[in-house]
Amino acid sequence: MGKRRKNTKTDYIKIGKAITAIALMVFLFFSVFQKLGSPLNDINIEISKGSDKKTLIKEKDVRSLLKTELGYDISIAEIAQLDLYKLEKILTRDDRINRADLFVDKHNNLFIKVEQKQPIVRIDVTDGNDYYLDYKGERIPVTDVFRVPVVTGHVDKYIISFKEHKKNNLNAVLELAQKVHDDDFLSALVEQIYVNEKSEVTIVPKIGRDKILLGQIEDLDEKIYKLKVYYEKGIKNIGIDKFDELDLQYKGQVLERDTDT
């Protein structure tokens, strides 16, 4: 008899736990359902900026991209209507955006964090359709003026896969632009990069001589080293404007020329 009562008590406990679990599941279901059917409370858009504090893309551009995808302004969307992963992909398809992260907090606030691409060089195109390259070599449309070196001359046409084609001289341009971006001395020195018909590269400095001849981009580190040594030691003796041209094309040599003589 005592054993039977004990079993009955155990059964009641199990039933009670089951009812509690079901009630909790129902509560959670309706809570989630209610949240999904709720409108957004607020939208916070944060766009990363480079050291110059300029932006390639503005908040209104982000809203416009999302509106084009959704068919309506995102501010009137319900949470259930938002496929955040898909919207992230939509934003990162834009040439100006490197990464996008979207999430909704417990107060129904939508946060959109956008990491914009950072231009390191501007390509001057004869038809006027100039563009920037970022550090990875991805094309960025010109929407604002960034203080970066400008490339002129005979630059090969940009294609997405240009890095797979060694003969495309954009590879040389990108390699030099990366060196300039990473080096404080070069960043302060280089104003313009000129590429001739043979894909030989010439640097136009911001101050001083007219040009610095690098030639083909091979042995770039050695040429940069020679340039730094020359500026650190040679200028102390002869001054920055003594010669119009500095030629670094030849191994182990730095040639100086005065084009007026």
Side-chain angles (χ1 to χ4, degrees), residues 20 25 74 105 143 154-157 186 191-192 195 200 234 245 256:
T20 301
M25 290 175 63
I74 195 170
D105 70 5
T143 57
H154 301 266
V155 182
D156 290 338
K157 185 177 180 180
L186 293 177
E191 177 76 17
Q192 182 180 332
V195 182
E200 295 171 334
E245 287 185 5
E256 302 157 326

Side-chain angles (χ1 to χ4, degrees), residues 164-210:
E164 299 173 11
H165 303 272
K166 293 183 179 180
K167 291 184 178 180
N168 189 314
N169 61 25
L170 271 175
N171 288 291
V173 168
L174 178 61
E175 183 179 352
L176 178 56
Q178 290 170 337
K179 297 287 186 183
V180 172
H181 178 269
D182 292 340
D183 191 288
D184 291 339
F185 168 77
L186 293 177
S187 295
L189 176 71
V190 179
E191 177 76 17
Q192 182 180 332
I193 299 168
Y194 175 77
V195 182
N196 69 13
E197 299 93 332
K198 298 178 181 179
S199 294
E200 295 171 334
V201 176
T202 298
I203 290 175
V204 179
K206 294 177 182 178
I207 57 173
R209 60 185 44 79
D210 292 336

Side-chain angles (χ1 to χ4, degrees), residues 70-81:
L70 295 171
Y72 52 85
D73 194 285
I74 195 170
S75 61
I76 64 173
E78 293 182 352
I79 294 175
Q81 296 173 305

Side-chain angles (χ1 to χ4, degrees), residues 113-243:
K113 295 189 176 183
V114 173
E115 179 185 306
Q116 69 174 11
K117 294 178 180 178
Q118 294 298 322
I120 64 169
V121 69
R122 178 169 177 161
I123 311 298
D124 182 79
V125 184
T126 53
D127 63 7
N129 292 318
D130 294 8
Y131 61 91
Y132 294 110
L133 288 180
D134 72 358
Y135 199 88
K136 295 184 290 186
E138 294 182 356
R139 187 182 185 279
I140 306 170
V142 175
T143 57
D144 203 344
V145 178
F146 285 77
R147 187 65 174 171
V148 293
V150 178
V151 181
T152 61
H154 301 266
V155 182
D156 290 338
K157 185 177 180 180
Y158 177 87
I159 55 174
I160 294 176
S161 60
F162 78 86
K163 287 189 282 187
E164 299 173 11
H165 303 272
K166 293 183 179 180
K167 291 184 178 180
N168 189 314
N169 61 25
L170 271 175
N171 288 291
V173 168
L174 178 61
E175 183 179 352
L176 178 56
Q178 290 170 337
K179 297 287 186 183
V180 172
H181 178 269
D182 292 340
D183 191 288
D184 291 339
F185 168 77
L186 293 177
S187 295
L189 176 71
V190 179
E191 177 76 17
Q192 182 180 332
I193 299 168
Y194 175 77
V195 182
N196 69 13
E197 299 93 332
K198 298 178 181 179
S199 294
E200 295 171 334
V201 176
T202 298
I203 290 175
V204 179
K206 294 177 182 178
I207 57 173
R209 60 185 44 79
D210 292 336
K211 52 189 174 181
I212 300 168
L213 308 179
L214 293 181
Q216 298 293 334
I217 210 68
E218 288 86 356
D219 302 318
L220 182 58
D221 287 336
E222 180 192 342
K223 292 173 182 178
I224 291 173
Y225 174 75
K226 290 191 297 183
L227 179 63
K228 287 183 176 181
V229 171
Y230 180 87
Y231 267 79
E232 290 172 2
K233 297 181 179 180
I235 286 178
K236 293 179 182 179
N237 300 321
I238 62 176
I240 197 169
D241 295 317
K242 177 66 176 178
F243 299 102

Side-chain angles (χ1 to χ4, degrees), residues 8 51 54 109 111 127 159-160 206 228 261:
T8 302
S51 57
K54 289 189 176 182
N109 297 313
F111 289 83
D127 63 7
I159 55 174
I160 294 176
K206 294 177 182 178
K228 287 183 176 181
T261 59

Side-chain angles (χ1 to χ4, degrees), residues 73-89:
D73 194 285
I74 195 170
S75 61
I76 64 173
E78 293 182 352
I79 294 175
Q81 296 173 305
L82 300 178
D83 183 338
L84 299 183
Y85 178 76
K86 182 179 179 181
L87 294 179
E88 288 175 351
K89 293 298 182 184

